[in-house]
Amino acid sequence: MVAGRVGEGDGYGGYRTRLVETLQQKGIRDLAVLRAIGTVPRHLFVPESVRHRAYDDVALPIGGGQTISQPWVQARYLELAALTGRERVLEVGGGSGYQTALLALLSDAVFAIERIPSLAHAARAALEASGIRNVTVLVGDGTLGWRPFAPYDAVLVAAASPEIPGPLVEQLAPGGRLIIPLGDRNAQVLTVAQRVGPDVRTSTVADVRFVPLLGEFGFR
Ligand code: SAH
């Protein structure tokens, strides 16, 4: 958990407050999640060319053919993760680093994996400029997870996969939650998997559309 300061007094507070109100109107209830969105300077995580839209509830291009997800989707993810501030979190598909920043405020430590080095580089810079320190951005194939830091209390996958990558289940702590869009390249269902003893229980939440998870246990 990061104390105070992040995003404070940067002149964008009014825009963040409006975004928070929009998300509340669209059904987001978790106060910790809303507080995090009201705190993180999203404009630092998007390219200059789309900065004027940083606090709109829309997906935006971040380069490399990738997108930063719509804030409403990110807020739903975070509600589903039900974080208490004590978790060790793995994020697959770190992209812009914005979701990483939100996770950093809601958990103890975040490990984000991104396969495109230039995005990982920009994400690290934006996280540092935001004053967020309890994060590690790694470059690699996130479908393999990241064994040295496992197990994770929560795993959030921000790209669409045909099935749940096996290594991510293996690296999930008992009782831990994994959130992933499952489906084909065009349409997916947001799915929550929970590790209960030796079993994995899944439930589905909503229809979504994400960029593909490209890797050994995702799309080839
Ligand atoms: N949460 C991000 C969303 C980025 S979109 C944000 O807030 O910006 C999904 C990201 O997943 C893209 O950046 C894409 O490059 C990345 N990705 C796709 N397959 C991956 C893989 N196997 N390992 C790590 N990252 C991957």
Side-chain angles (χ1 to χ4, degrees):
M1 184 88 67
V2 177
R5 298 281 157 185
V6 178
E8 218 169 82
D10 64 1
Y12 285 82
Y15 294 102
R16 280 192 290 276
T17 301
R18 277 201 43 204
L19 175 58
V20 166
E21 286 165 3
T22 302
L23 296 176
Q24 276 179 309
Q25 280 157 19
K26 293 185 180 178
I28 302 299
R29 293 278 170 267
D30 187 317
L31 292 179
V33 170
L34 292 167
R35 205 174 309 126
I37 290 170
T39 303
V40 174
R42 194 171 196 259
H43 63 281
L44 297 182
F45 292 86
V46 300
E48 200 96 37
S49 55
V50 294
R51 195 152 286 173
H52 61 290
R53 304 201 64 196
Y55 295 98
D56 292 351
D57 188 26
V58 294
L60 295 169
I62 54 172
Q66 306 302 320
T67 52
I68 178 172
S69 305
Q70 180 189 353
W72 181 83
V73 172
Q74 298 187 308
R76 278 302 285 147
Y77 257 80
L78 295 169
E79 282 194 328
L80 292 168
L83 300 168
T84 66
R86 291 190 295 271
E87 295 80 4
R88 179 196 297 251
V89 178
L90 179 70
E91 184 192 20
V92 176
S96 67
Y98 176 67
Q99 179 97 301
T100 319
L102 297 173
L103 287 167
L105 267 63
L106 294 165
S107 66
D108 181 51
V110 185
F111 299 90
I113 313 178
E114 170 54 50
R115 62 178 279 277
I116 301 178
S118 60
L119 289 180
H121 192 257
R124 282 190 194 116
L127 286 160
E128 196 174 326
S130 306
I132 291 170
R133 314 221 185 285
N134 53 334
V135 298
T136 308
V137 179
L138 306 152
V139 176
D141 177 3
T143 69
L144 303 171
W146 202 275
R147 273 184 211 286
F149 302 117
Y152 302 98
D153 304 300
V155 177
L156 279 82
V157 184
S161 182
E163 54 193 48
I164 301 177
L168 299 185
V169 175
E170 285 160 29
Q171 293 171 37
L172 195 60
R177 286 162 184 259
L178 185 153
I179 305 167
I180 184 169
L182 294 178
D184 60 30
R185 280 175 186 260
N186 297 316
Q188 307 95 35
V189 179
L190 190 56
T191 306
V192 182
Q194 192 164 18
R195 193 160 178 175
V196 184
D199 301 329
V200 175
R201 292 195 195 142
T202 62
S203 56
T204 57
V205 179
D207 293 332
V208 287
R209 188 159 188 213
F210 277 80
V211 297
L213 182 69
L214 301 174
E216 194 172 328
F217 294 91
F219 289 105
R220 295 279 173 160

